[in-house]
Amino acid sequence: MVDWRLAERVADAVSGGDGAGPPLAGGADVEAMSARALERVSAYARLQPAEPPPPPEAVGRSEWAKANLTTMRATLDPLLERLGTRPLQTAGGMLVGVEAGGVVGFMGRSVLGQYELALLDPERPPRLLLVAPNLREAARTFDADEAELLEWVVFHEITHAVQFSGVDWLREHVAGLLRELLASVTVEVDPSALLKLPSMQDLRGLWESVREGGLVHAVAGEQRKAIIDRLQAVMAVIEGHAEHVMDAAGAAVLPSLPKLREALEKRRRDKPPLVKLLERLLGLDLKLRQYVVGKRFCDAVVRDWGIEALNRAWSDPEHLPTLAELDDPPSWVRRTQVRAVSRGE
């Protein structure tokens, strides 16, 4: 259905892909970093993984893109089989290949690390990927020690490994939401509609939808928007929890952590206008908001009620915060019956 080889070529071109290059941080012992992170993350988060995390791998942008396109293929191919006639299948397959490659290549220019998990393919083992050229570039931009930045990123990705291995229902819950979203999508092509110019009212309505929630929400119906909101809420908790834990668990071994955090937040904010526009249109800014909103929620819960209170979110899918509760931690505390007293009392 989709020309995935074309997608790989596009991703490689857009990302400026290259090999991993020389050893990360001058040959730092990344396996030892991973072991330290696992010990500290498990102790702080009070989550015990059911299996050890995957070994860390230093990869280039091309290898990172290839891994993510493989996951994307397993997700999208069943959906795209719903396309109708062979001409539309061919044209649609090429179009999706170009778009998928463009999005992955665009993201591959800045991602530092990833716990790569194929949610819909439980037979495929997870990977812990460290994107070497981006880490080196970020260390120069941050004026930071590359080994310290590397270890900080390892803390983040190990936290994801601990989450998905230590919370026995989490992977299937997120996969279920993704399946529900894909099942709600209908692929309909009306050739006659392609001959009509959109009215000013059509364009105005589309623009308002994009301004509110990005192109992802603009093309989704009400049913899909509700599913997307649930998916966004759980991903915000997952990302925010990882952001909180990487700082809290890493503080004792990362002397420049405040500087690294400030530099990372600045990097996420200070992007060229064209990059920000592309992120907005593609819906990639949703992920950036997940980091911000999720971390703020987790920071607030731990500050006022402790890590055990935050772990109520991992006790049952029904205890996950909603999008509204992410902006109002006390309301989530009341709903989940966490003892509502400050840590100082």
Side-chain angles (χ1 to χ4, degrees), residues 63-75:
E63 177 63 22
W64 180 87
K66 185 176 180 180
N68 279 266
L69 285 171
T70 299
T71 299
M72 190 178 289
R73 179 173 188 170
T75 304

Side-chain angles (χ1 to χ4, degrees), residues 281-297:
L281 290 176
L282 295 171
L284 301 180
D285 65 323
L286 294 175
K287 184 170 179 64
L288 298 181
R289 289 206 297 271
Q290 288 168 5
Y291 288 120
V292 174
V293 174
K295 183 175 187 298
R296 187 171 61 216
F297 171 85

